[in-house]
Amino acid sequence: EDYNMDEDTDDEIERAQKKIQEQEKENVKTDSPRKKRKSESPNKEAKKQKKEDKSSKNGRRHESGEDAAYDVETDEENSDDAYSAETDVEDDNLKDLKSTLKKLPSPDYPQIFKGSTFFLKGLEEKEAKLIERYVICYGGEISPYNQRSVGYILTKAASKSDIRDAKAVNSSVKVLRPDWVFKCCDKLQLVSTERYSF
């Protein structure tokens, strides 16, 4: 049955609920209460029998079958495993997990940017995050602002005054286009900054 965008949502929900109730009625009629499911344990069958006995004592027989679905138990509802399952991560388990992770092989990236600090200026967020990952992966560090330890400023555009301001903080700083980082990572070594300088 196709969904009609013009129909009211409440009507659609009501139809779906009726359909589910009809299916449940059909399932209740076809399932014999004495018929044991292969997946049920004897303990679950005993619980089901107790519930049937209890409802018959209380006179709660459902002739119409409308609420019969609430009396039918499923394996999941009866499962003690669902309540006894451990959901918290214990400190010991966390330590074991960390030590296991340390033992796993990880790709070795040459530390071509080791000892270098980068400042990213005026880059779009996506590009900045990507460059950050590359720099850190290959041994470099990222500074949140320009400071004396910054050796490279990566930017898409730099005016003469921007370069002059950067050199005032560190006279040996290099102001480069971000592509330089990618080229170094491709070659697995520092490449000439000449083509990437402002």
Side-chain angles (χ1 to χ4, degrees), residues 173-189:
V173 72
K174 295 182 180 182
V175 182
L176 306 171
R177 290 179 183 80
D179 296 342
W180 178 76
V181 169
F182 299 124
K183 191 63 158 179
C184 292
C185 294
D186 287 344
K187 298 286 184 184
L188 300 177
Q189 63 183 7

Side-chain angles (χ1 to χ4, degrees), residues 4-21:
N4 185 346
M5 296 290 280
D6 297 330
E7 289 184 27
D8 188 22
T9 305
D10 293 337
D11 293 339
E12 187 68 26
I13 292 171
E14 192 175 309
R15 266 199 306 279
Q17 287 174 336
K18 284 181 183 177
K19 190 173 185 178
I20 290 170
Q21 285 177 349

Side-chain angles (χ1 to χ4, degrees), residues 79-172:
S79 174
D80 293 333
D81 297 337
Y83 296 103
S84 64
E86 197 166 314
T87 56
D88 293 334
V89 176
E90 301 293 326
D91 287 338
D92 294 338
N93 293 345
L94 191 58
K95 288 176 186 174
D96 290 343
L97 183 61
K98 284 182 179 179
S99 67
T100 303
L101 285 174
K102 286 180 183 177
K103 293 175 189 173
L104 290 175
S106 63
D108 290 327
Y109 294 100
Q111 301 297 290
I112 57 176
F113 299 132
K114 188 171 182 138
S116 300
T117 304
F118 294 78
F119 170 59
L120 310 180
K121 183 177 182 215
L123 301 176
E124 292 179 22
E125 186 179 348
K126 265 184 152 180
E127 185 177 22
K129 286 189 181 287
L130 181 64
I131 291 170
E132 225 176 280
R133 289 178 67 186
Y134 271 77
V135 167
I136 292 168
C137 182
Y138 285 90
E141 293 180 18
I142 301 291
S143 173
Y145 52 89
N146 189 17
Q147 56 186 341
R148 186 173 294 261
S149 63
V150 170
Y152 301 96
I153 297 176
L154 302 175
T155 184
K156 293 259 185 179
S159 67
K160 288 182 181 182
S161 66
D162 289 338
I163 296 169
R164 188 175 47 247
D165 293 344
K167 297 250 184 211
V169 176
N170 178 356
S171 59
S172 62

